[in-house]
Amino acid sequence: MADNGATYDPENIFAKILKGEIPCHKIYEDEDTFAFLDIMPRTDGHALVITKEPARDLFAISPGALAKVMAVVQTLAPKIKEASARRVLIQQFNGAAAGQTVFHLHVHIVPRKAGVPMRPEAAKMADPEELKATAEKIKAVLEG
Ligand code: AMP
Protein backbone atom coordinates (compact mmCIF):
# COMPACT_ATOMS: atom_id res chain seq x y z
CA MET A 1 0.00 0.00 0.00
CA ALA A 2 1.21 3.50 -0.75
CA ASP A 3 2.13 5.60 2.28
CA ASN A 4 -0.21 8.58 2.21
CA GLY A 5 0.73 9.35 5.79
CA ALA A 6 -2.83 9.46 7.08
CA THR A 7 -5.45 6.84 6.44
CA TYR A 8 -5.69 3.40 7.94
CA ASP A 9 -6.23 0.62 5.41
CA PRO A 10 -8.46 -1.99 7.10
CA GLU A 11 -7.19 -4.53 4.58
CA ASN A 12 -3.50 -4.19 5.51
CA ILE A 13 -1.72 -7.45 6.17
CA PHE A 14 -1.70 -7.14 9.97
CA ALA A 15 -5.41 -6.25 10.01
CA LYS A 16 -5.95 -9.47 8.04
CA ILE A 17 -3.88 -11.41 10.57
CA LEU A 18 -6.02 -9.94 13.38
CA LYS A 19 -9.18 -10.96 11.53
CA GLY A 20 -7.78 -14.47 11.11
CA GLU A 21 -7.80 -14.15 7.32
CA ILE A 22 -4.04 -14.74 7.04
CA PRO A 23 -2.16 -17.30 9.12
CA CYS A 24 0.63 -16.37 11.48
CA HIS A 25 2.72 -17.92 14.23
CA LYS A 26 0.98 -16.38 17.21
CA ILE A 27 2.81 -16.25 20.52
CA TYR A 28 0.51 -14.05 22.62
CA GLU A 29 -2.91 -12.42 22.60
CA ASP A 30 -5.02 -10.40 25.02
CA GLU A 31 -7.97 -8.04 24.67
CA ASP A 32 -5.87 -5.19 23.29
CA THR A 33 -2.73 -6.67 21.77
CA PHE A 34 -1.52 -9.54 19.63
CA ALA A 35 2.01 -10.89 19.07
CA PHE A 36 3.41 -13.20 16.43
CA LEU A 37 6.72 -14.10 14.79
CA ASP A 38 8.07 -11.99 11.95
CA ILE A 39 7.96 -13.95 8.70
CA MET A 40 11.39 -12.60 7.67
CA PRO A 41 13.20 -12.67 11.01
CA ARG A 42 16.29 -10.49 11.46
CA THR A 43 17.35 -12.94 14.20
CA ASP A 44 15.80 -16.12 15.59
CA GLY A 45 12.81 -15.26 17.75
CA HIS A 46 12.12 -11.92 16.01
CA ALA A 47 8.56 -11.09 17.07
CA LEU A 48 6.05 -8.32 16.39
CA VAL A 49 3.64 -6.91 18.95
CA ILE A 50 0.64 -5.18 17.40
CA THR A 51 -2.31 -3.23 18.74
CA LYS A 52 -5.86 -4.29 18.06
CA GLU A 53 -6.73 -0.64 17.55
CA PRO A 54 -6.96 0.34 13.87
CA ALA A 55 -3.95 2.66 14.09
CA ARG A 56 -1.34 3.04 11.40
CA ASP A 57 1.50 4.39 13.53
CA LEU A 58 2.73 6.01 16.74
CA PHE A 59 0.86 9.22 15.99
CA ALA A 60 -2.48 7.58 15.29
CA ILE A 61 -2.70 5.17 18.22
CA SER A 62 -4.39 6.25 21.45
CA PRO A 63 -2.05 6.68 24.43
CA GLY A 64 -3.89 3.91 26.29
CA ALA A 65 -3.51 1.36 23.50
CA LEU A 66 0.16 2.33 23.07
CA ALA A 67 0.79 1.79 26.77
CA LYS A 68 -0.75 -1.66 26.50
CA VAL A 69 1.43 -2.57 23.52
CA MET A 70 4.57 -1.43 25.32
CA ALA A 71 3.62 -3.29 28.50
CA VAL A 72 3.35 -6.48 26.43
CA VAL A 73 6.72 -5.74 24.77
CA GLN A 74 8.29 -5.31 28.21
CA THR A 75 6.87 -8.60 29.47
CA LEU A 76 7.39 -10.64 26.34
CA ALA A 77 10.87 -9.56 25.27
CA PRO A 78 12.90 -11.16 28.09
CA LYS A 79 10.88 -14.35 27.77
CA ILE A 80 11.98 -14.94 24.20
CA LYS A 81 14.84 -17.20 25.11
CA GLU A 82 16.53 -16.79 21.75
CA ALA A 83 17.73 -13.59 23.36
CA SER A 84 20.68 -13.92 25.66
CA ALA A 85 19.27 -12.63 28.92
CA ARG A 86 17.84 -9.17 28.19
CA ARG A 87 19.82 -8.36 25.06
CA VAL A 88 16.91 -7.30 22.91
CA LEU A 89 16.54 -4.66 20.22
CA ILE A 90 13.14 -2.92 20.22
CA GLN A 91 12.27 -1.15 16.97
CA GLN A 92 9.25 0.77 15.73
CA PHE A 93 8.98 2.59 12.38
CA ASN A 94 6.63 5.40 11.36
CA GLY A 95 6.05 6.14 7.67
CA ALA A 96 7.66 4.70 4.58
CA ALA A 97 10.50 7.22 4.73
CA ALA A 98 11.32 5.86 8.18
CA GLY A 99 11.24 2.26 7.00
CA GLN A 100 7.66 1.29 7.81
CA THR A 101 6.29 -1.21 5.31
CA VAL A 102 3.10 -2.39 7.04
CA PHE A 103 0.86 0.48 8.06
CA HIS A 104 -0.58 -0.95 11.25
CA LEU A 105 1.29 0.02 14.40
CA HIS A 106 3.73 -2.68 15.43
CA VAL A 107 6.79 -2.99 17.63
CA HIS A 108 9.65 -5.30 16.69
CA ILE A 109 11.29 -7.45 19.36
CA VAL A 110 14.63 -8.57 17.93
CA PRO A 111 16.63 -10.85 20.24
CA ARG A 112 20.37 -10.17 20.07
CA LYS A 113 23.42 -12.14 21.03
CA ALA A 114 26.93 -10.76 21.24
CA GLY A 115 28.79 -11.47 18.01
CA VAL A 116 25.74 -12.72 16.10
CA PRO A 117 24.82 -10.24 13.35
CA MET A 118 21.26 -9.50 12.30
CA ARG A 119 20.16 -10.81 8.91
CA PRO A 120 19.55 -8.09 6.33
CA GLU A 121 16.05 -6.58 6.30
CA ALA A 122 13.41 -8.40 4.21
CA ALA A 123 16.13 -10.82 3.16
CA LYS A 124 14.61 -14.25 3.44
CA MET A 125 11.32 -15.89 4.37
CA ALA A 126 11.81 -18.18 7.34
CA ASP A 127 11.13 -21.89 7.11
CA PRO A 128 7.54 -22.23 8.43
CA GLU A 129 8.49 -25.35 10.39
CA GLU A 130 11.27 -23.43 12.16
CA LEU A 131 8.87 -20.55 12.94
CA LYS A 132 6.35 -23.03 14.28
CA ALA A 133 8.94 -24.64 16.56
CA THR A 134 10.15 -21.24 17.80
CA ALA A 135 6.57 -20.10 18.50
CA GLU A 136 5.87 -23.29 20.45
CA LYS A 137 9.01 -22.77 22.52
CA ILE A 138 8.10 -19.17 23.35
CA LYS A 139 4.51 -20.10 24.21
CA ALA A 140 5.75 -22.85 26.53
CA VAL A 141 7.88 -20.30 28.40
CA LEU A 142 4.97 -17.85 28.59
CA GLU A 143 2.61 -20.51 29.86
CA GLY A 144 5.43 -21.54 32.20
P1 AMP B 1 8.12 -2.55 9.23
O1 AMP B 1 6.79 -2.05 8.68
O2 AMP B 1 9.28 -2.18 8.36
O3 AMP B 1 8.35 -2.18 10.65
O4 AMP B 1 8.11 -4.12 9.20
C1 AMP B 1 7.07 -4.96 8.87
C2 AMP B 1 7.51 -6.33 9.23
O5 AMP B 1 6.43 -7.21 9.02
C3 AMP B 1 8.70 -6.88 8.43
O6 AMP B 1 9.74 -7.23 9.33
C4 AMP B 1 8.13 -8.09 7.71
O7 AMP B 1 9.05 -9.15 7.63
C5 AMP B 1 6.94 -8.45 8.58
N1 AMP B 1 5.84 -9.10 7.90
C6 AMP B 1 5.26 -8.74 6.73
N2 AMP B 1 4.25 -9.60 6.44
C7 AMP B 1 4.20 -10.50 7.45
C8 AMP B 1 3.36 -11.62 7.74
N3 AMP B 1 2.39 -11.99 6.92
N4 AMP B 1 3.61 -12.30 8.88
C9 AMP B 1 4.60 -11.94 9.71
N5 AMP B 1 5.40 -10.90 9.50
C10 AMP B 1 5.21 -10.18 8.39
Side-chain angles (χ1 to χ4, degrees):
M1 184 210 173
D3 177 22
N4 63 19
T7 51
Y8 178 79
D9 172 13
E11 296 305 316
N12 76 72
I13 199 141
F14 292 172
K16 287 186 171 171
I17 285 176
L18 282 175
K19 288 186 273 184
E21 293 172 4
I22 289 183
C24 72
H25 295 281
K26 177 168 111 174
I27 55 173
Y28 176 84
E29 180 172 12
D30 64 30
E31 216 180 304
D32 308 289
T33 61
F34 189 94
F36 55 102
L37 294 182
D38 196 295
I39 210 167
M40 288 183 273
R42 307 286 310 271
T43 63
D44 295 344
H46 180 173
L48 301 169
V49 180
I50 69 175
T51 178
K52 289 189 178 177
E53 203 171 85
R56 52 176 285 126
D57 60 21
L58 184 71
F59 309 105
I61 190 170
S62 68
L66 178 63
K68 284 170 176 162
V69 167
M70 292 314 294
V72 170
V73 169
Q74 188 183 39
T75 305
L76 212 51
K79 297 203 169 130
I80 299 178
K81 294 296 182 191
E82 275 66 20
S84 65
R86 296 184 185 188
R87 274 58 173 191
V88 178
L89 171 67
I90 305 298
Q91 272 185 321
Q92 193 271 320
F93 302 94
N94 299 283
Q100 187 177 12
T101 58
V102 179
F103 299 100
H104 178 109
L105 182 126
H106 55 279
V107 176
H108 295 257
I109 298 175
V110 185
R112 298 303 314 270
K113 277 186 185 148
V116 179
M118 290 198 289
R119 298 177 196 107
E121 208 176 318
K124 192 169 160 271
M125 294 282 257
D127 173 352
E129 285 306 312
E130 272 176 34
L131 284 184
K132 187 174 169 213
T134 302
E136 292 305 327
K137 235 165 60 180
I138 295 169
K139 280 190 286 186
V141 173
L142 289 174
E143 283 155 18

